[in-house]
Amino acid sequence: MKRALVLSAVLLPICTPPAFGQAPVLSITALCKARSADARILRSTTGQSLANCEHDEEAAKQQLNTLWASTSVTIRNRCRSEARSLGTTSYLDLVTCIQMADEIKADSKKKTSKE
């Protein structure tokens, strides 16, 4: 039951569309607790304390807030959808997805300009 509450706290903000043009708002504490609970259930180690997880997610949140407005709606929606399909969304997941999309776009432009 406790796990269900934590997961709903993590997933609820994902299901609620953010205000136009604003990055999603996630519960960092709930996300990190859910990761820790999952690691305990799987009897694996996250390799990261709750405090470190929260620190990393907070840093990623700041980075995402910078990237979000300059990222196309198509990429934002794709990244949100991909993260949601994994079962949880984190700021780190979203930042990584956007960065990868930017790299692919840059590589594509380089190949086009060489031809």
Side-chain angles (χ1 to χ4, degrees):
M1 181 67 177
K2 187 175 183 181
R3 186 173 194 286
L5 290 173
V6 171
L7 286 175
S8 66
V10 171
L11 295 176
L12 182 62
I14 297 166
C15 299
T16 307
F20 182 74
Q22 293 181 344
V25 177
L26 307 172
S27 172
I28 292 172
T29 302
L31 171 71
C32 291
K33 285 182 179 180
R35 281 186 187 160
S36 179
D38 286 344
R40 281 193 304 275
I41 289 169
L42 297 173
R43 295 191 173 134
S44 69
T45 177
T46 62
Q48 188 176 45
S49 70
L50 188 59
N52 286 342
C53 175
E54 290 174 345
H55 177 268
D56 291 349
E57 285 295 331
E58 189 60 46
K61 177 182 178 181
Q62 299 304 318
Q63 189 174 4
L64 182 66
N65 286 333
T66 302
L67 291 171
W68 197 256
S70 62
T71 301
S72 74
V73 173
T74 304
I75 291 173
R76 289 187 289 192
N77 289 340
R78 186 182 78 221
C79 290
R80 266 196 301 241
S81 176
E82 287 175 5
R84 205 175 299 126
S85 70
L86 294 172
T88 61
T89 299
S90 75
Y91 291 113
L92 287 168
D93 293 337
L94 293 169
V95 167
T96 301
C97 180
I98 290 171
Q99 289 173 334
M100 288 172 48
D102 287 345
E103 287 179 22
I104 291 168
K105 190 174 14 173
D107 287 346
S108 162
K109 286 181 181 178
K110 285 180 187 176
K111 288 179 183 177
T112 303
S113 66
K114 287 182 181 179
E115 293 175 358

